[in-house]
Amino acid sequence: MKVKKFVAKDMPEAMKKIRADLGEEAVILNSKRIVTGGFFGLFTKKKIEVIAAIDEEERQRPRWNEIKHVPPEKQDLKEEVEELKKVVASISSPASLSSQDRLPEKIQQIDQMLSEQEVSPYLREQVVEELLATWYRSDAPTDALLYEKTRDFFIEKMKKLSFGPVTSGPKIIHLVGPTGVGKTTTVAKIAAYYHLEKKQEVAFITTDTYRIAAVDQLKTYAKILNIPVEVAYSPADFQRAIEKFQNKDVIFVDSAGRNFQKQQYVKELQTMIDFNEEMTTYLVLSLTSKYKDMKNIVHQFSHIPIDRFVFTKKDETSTLGAMVNLVTEANKGVAYVTTGQNVPDDIEIADATRIVDWLLEEGRHE
């Protein structure tokens, strides 16, 4: 069976392409509305995507309406083929992804697992299309094969993105993020790794003067790790701190955690930090947050050069779909994922394959 994807402005155009490429005997496996281009819903175009298939042997046979005399046994075969086409079309109708009972049971189970992990409908539809193609190409696809195809799909989605910390470039590493994501603890974990494992000279600067507890917390970490720290109350303070630590290998900047769903706080951050200065900036987000809120925060930071995401609190949730959704939609990689409160241990360098394995492991353990 030959399976092919067609994208067109509407269904008549798609049908024209299918007939021209696969012929009149082609079967539509799935069709859906898609949006192309843009970022977070801006400047997008609506199109239709159709998955069609043709049995190559069937394609070479005479059409049924061209056969004048059909023996009884071949007439039965014709009826079976027509019935099969109806079944496939019903399974793969546009409503199939919103009506799971029309999918093969094994594919239905994977789709349900991804839904429970809160993977976006857009990604789930693509996974189901890939699995349906595998299903109809294989005589007896196993659970292991379908899960492997699911794993391959997500890894392929993220393979062009950069994961892990930025290893070459500016000596200033700046972490930004909303309140409550564990940003200060994360700064301490990363700094401890550079200081204790890489044997580099590091320093702290904090601009989080809105919360006395945040300053005290960072000072405590600095004292334990024997790392110098400066508190910047103004842009001038920040520049003086940068100059003071010029002899250090790496300078870690912990900025104020605010409600960055409001653009005014992003602008305040820009007045404090000179983003024109050479630095690596990580946006820290908690995996316990709602995906919609996380996406809105990323959108608010669209005018600031964010190099990677850092995801925290993996240990506090069993639902990891938001991480995959955000990475693939924002087209941006991940530097670190934190897995607990312990400094410096509970942090892992991010890797696309590891993230996908986490997602599928959590889903299968539900």
Side-chain angles (χ1 to χ4, degrees), residues 302-341:
S302 59
H303 300 297
I304 290 177
I306 301 297
D307 295 285
R308 305 271 202 284
F309 293 128
V310 172
F311 290 107
T312 63
K313 303 188 180 183
K314 174 187 173 294
D315 57 307
E316 296 183 24
T317 181
S318 59
T319 305
L320 301 178
M323 177 161 46
V324 175
N325 296 342
L326 199 63
V327 167
T328 55
E329 187 167 351
N331 202 35
K332 197 174 297 294
V334 185
Y336 300 95
V337 178
T338 73
T339 57
Q341 293 295 314

XYZ file of all heavy atoms in Angstrom, residues 302-341:
304
model
N 8.776 37.439 23.792
C 9.177 37.288 22.389
C 10.129 38.383 21.925
O 10.828 38.214 20.922
C 7.936 37.269 21.482
O 7.178 38.472 21.624
N 10.183 39.516 22.641
C 11.079 40.613 22.247
C 12.413 40.567 22.996
O 13.256 41.444 22.823
C 10.397 41.965 22.486
C 9.136 42.134 21.706
N 9.117 42.147 20.334
C 7.838 42.279 22.097
C 7.865 42.302 19.903
N 7.080 42.382 20.964
N 12.587 39.548 23.822
C 13.842 39.376 24.564
C 14.545 38.126 24.016
O 13.893 37.106 23.782
C 13.566 39.233 26.073
C 13.093 40.565 26.635
C 14.805 38.755 26.820
C 12.719 40.522 28.102
N 15.843 38.191 23.797
C 16.553 37.033 23.225
C 16.677 35.871 24.209
O 17.616 35.820 25.010
C 17.926 37.610 22.856
C 18.115 38.767 23.788
C 16.755 39.348 24.005
N 15.722 34.961 24.184
C 15.756 33.767 25.028
C 16.497 32.662 24.275
O 16.135 32.310 23.148
C 14.333 33.294 25.382
C 13.551 34.397 26.114
C 14.392 32.017 26.212
C 14.135 34.804 27.437
N 17.534 32.106 24.888
C 18.340 31.079 24.224
C 17.807 29.669 24.424
O 17.829 28.854 23.505
C 19.786 31.152 24.735
C 20.455 32.458 24.356
O 20.807 32.607 23.176
O 20.617 33.326 25.239
N 17.362 29.361 25.623
C 16.840 28.029 25.931
C 15.783 28.148 27.024
O 15.703 29.135 27.746
C 17.943 27.105 26.485
C 19.180 26.936 25.635
C 19.075 25.802 24.653
N 20.391 25.356 24.252
C 21.188 25.989 23.401
N 20.810 27.133 22.867
N 22.370 25.476 23.073
N 14.990 27.098 27.173
C 14.105 26.952 28.319
C 14.831 26.183 29.421
O 15.728 25.379 29.156
C 12.850 26.169 27.957
C 11.935 26.868 26.991
C 11.507 26.228 25.839
C 11.499 28.152 27.231
C 10.653 26.850 24.941
C 10.646 28.804 26.343
C 10.227 28.145 25.199
N 14.414 26.432 30.662
C 14.739 25.565 31.790
C 13.408 25.184 32.425
O 12.611 26.071 32.775
C 15.641 26.267 32.824
C 15.777 25.391 34.071
C 17.013 26.560 32.236
N 13.133 23.893 32.551
C 11.889 23.428 33.157
C 12.168 22.907 34.564
O 13.096 22.111 34.766
C 11.246 22.334 32.315
C 10.693 22.829 31.008
C 11.331 22.543 29.813
C 9.540 23.595 30.974
C 10.832 23.002 28.605
C 9.026 24.066 29.768
C 9.676 23.764 28.593
N 11.358 23.353 35.523
C 11.531 22.956 36.914
C 10.362 22.094 37.393
O 9.330 21.990 36.739
C 11.640 24.192 37.821
O 10.399 24.938 37.747
C 12.791 25.093 37.391
N 10.573 21.470 38.557
C 9.531 20.733 39.285
C 8.992 19.521 38.528
O 7.816 19.174 38.639
C 8.379 21.678 39.679
C 8.855 22.870 40.509
C 7.707 23.681 41.060
C 8.221 24.863 41.870
N 7.143 25.659 42.488
N 9.860 18.856 37.781
C 9.442 17.619 37.121
C 8.959 16.601 38.140
O 8.049 15.801 37.863
C 10.589 17.042 36.288
C 10.278 15.676 35.683
C 11.464 15.069 35.009
C 11.164 13.638 34.584
N 10.952 12.728 35.719
N 9.568 16.622 39.327
C 9.208 15.663 40.369
C 7.833 15.922 40.967
O 7.297 15.069 41.673
C 10.246 15.697 41.485
C 10.387 17.098 42.079
O 10.615 18.046 41.294
O 10.272 17.248 43.310
N 7.253 17.081 40.685
C 5.971 17.441 41.300
C 4.787 17.235 40.364
O 3.667 17.639 40.677
C 6.013 18.898 41.771
C 7.044 19.145 42.868
C 7.027 20.580 43.367
O 5.978 21.246 43.221
O 8.058 21.032 43.895
N 5.023 16.631 39.206
C 3.929 16.382 38.272
C 4.166 15.073 37.539
O 5.316 14.651 37.359
C 3.787 17.523 37.248
O 2.689 17.235 36.366
C 5.051 17.683 36.419
N 3.090 14.421 37.147
C 3.190 13.216 36.328
C 2.709 13.493 34.907
O 2.521 12.576 34.111
C 2.351 12.085 36.943
O 0.983 12.482 37.030
N 2.510 14.769 34.584
C 2.015 15.174 33.278
C 3.063 16.055 32.603
O 3.329 17.169 33.050
C 0.693 15.953 33.412
O -0.246 15.170 34.140
C 0.116 16.278 32.047
N 3.655 15.560 31.511
C 4.790 16.244 30.890
C 4.507 16.730 29.469
O 5.409 17.196 28.776
C 6.010 15.314 30.875
C 6.474 14.814 32.242
C 7.659 13.868 32.088
C 6.842 15.983 33.148
N 3.258 16.610 29.027
C 2.931 17.021 27.662
C 3.220 18.482 27.376
O 3.615 18.843 26.269
N 3.037 19.349 28.393
C 3.255 20.788 28.184
C 4.684 21.078 27.749
O 4.924 21.997 26.952
C 2.924 21.558 29.459
N 5.640 20.320 28.266
C 7.041 20.542 27.906
C 7.247 20.276 26.417
O 7.879 21.069 25.717
C 7.952 19.640 28.748
C 9.415 19.750 28.406
S 10.539 19.137 29.708
C 9.811 17.567 30.174
N 6.702 19.171 25.929
C 6.836 18.825 24.511
C 6.068 19.823 23.645
O 6.553 20.257 22.592
C 6.337 17.389 24.270
C 6.357 17.050 22.782
C 7.191 16.400 25.049
N 4.869 20.198 24.077
C 4.079 21.177 23.324
C 4.847 22.477 23.134
O 4.929 23.017 22.023
C 2.772 21.499 24.065
C 1.855 20.312 24.191
O 1.981 19.324 23.475
N 0.915 20.387 25.118
N 5.395 22.986 24.238
C 6.046 24.294 24.209
C 7.312 24.271 23.367
O 7.570 25.187 22.578
C 6.368 24.755 25.629
C 6.626 26.252 25.808
C 5.383 27.046 25.455
C 7.059 26.557 27.221
N 8.103 23.231 23.524
C 9.355 23.128 22.772
C 9.086 23.088 21.270
O 9.733 23.789 20.486
C 10.139 21.873 23.216
C 11.274 21.568 22.244
C 10.693 22.070 24.614
N 8.116 22.277 20.854
C 7.847 22.137 19.427
C 7.144 23.357 18.850
O 7.388 23.737 17.706
C 7.004 20.878 19.155
O 5.804 20.908 19.952
C 7.784 19.629 19.496
N 6.278 23.998 19.643
C 5.562 25.163 19.123
C 6.442 26.403 19.090
O 6.404 27.180 18.134
C 4.311 25.435 19.958
C 3.440 26.534 19.365
C 2.066 26.601 19.993
O 1.716 25.693 20.771
O 1.344 27.560 19.695
N 7.248 26.609 20.134
C 8.126 27.780 20.180
C 9.409 27.558 19.391
O 10.166 28.501 19.160
C 8.466 28.129 21.631
N 9.662 26.299 19.003
C 10.859 25.971 18.222
C 12.127 26.363 18.975
O 13.033 26.970 18.415
C 10.805 26.668 16.858
C 11.680 25.993 15.828
O 11.829 24.775 15.821
N 12.288 26.772 14.960
N 12.154 26.004 20.259
C 13.277 26.375 21.115
C 13.638 25.203 22.029
O 12.765 24.530 22.555
C 12.920 27.601 21.950
C 14.126 28.307 22.559
C 13.697 29.585 23.239
C 13.103 30.588 22.264
N 14.112 31.089 21.296
N 14.941 24.954 22.195
C 15.398 23.816 22.982
C 15.399 24.063 24.478
O 14.988 25.128 24.969
N 15.886 23.076 25.226
C 15.879 23.103 26.689
C 17.311 22.929 27.193
O 18.049 22.065 26.699
C 14.990 21.978 27.256
C 14.878 22.090 28.773
C 13.613 22.004 26.602
N 17.691 23.733 28.180
C 19.028 23.625 28.762
C 19.048 22.608 29.903
O 19.896 21.710 29.933
C 19.499 24.986 29.268
N 18.120 22.764 30.857
C 18.105 21.904 32.044
C 16.668 21.551 32.421
O 15.715 22.274 32.088
C 18.739 22.604 33.247
C 20.176 23.026 33.082
C 20.497 24.313 32.679
C 21.226 22.132 33.361
C 21.825 24.722 32.547
C 22.545 22.528 33.226
C 22.843 23.816 32.822
O 24.151 24.206 32.684
N 16.531 20.448 33.167
C 15.270 20.074 33.806
C 15.595 19.753 35.259
O 16.505 18.957 35.532
C 14.626 18.845 33.138
C 13.341 18.451 33.876
C 14.325 19.123 31.664
N 14.874 20.383 36.198
C 15.138 20.100 37.612
C 14.166 19.042 38.117
O 13.014 18.977 37.690
C 15.034 21.366 38.488
O 13.661 21.757 38.626
C 15.834 22.508 37.886
N 14.662 18.226 39.045
C 13.913 17.057 39.495
C 13.732 16.988 40.999
O 13.406 15.931 41.549
C 14.645 15.779 39.024
O 15.990 15.807 39.537
C 14.699 15.702 37.507
N 13.950 18.103 41.703
C 13.789 18.125 43.146
C 14.401 19.381 43.742
O 14.883 20.267 43.021
N 14.410 19.483 45.065
C 14.872 20.683 45.757
C 16.348 20.646 46.143
O 16.927 21.676 46.480
C 14.037 20.890 47.026
C 12.574 21.233 46.752
C 12.423 22.561 46.049
O 13.036 23.538 46.432
N 11.592 22.597 45.007
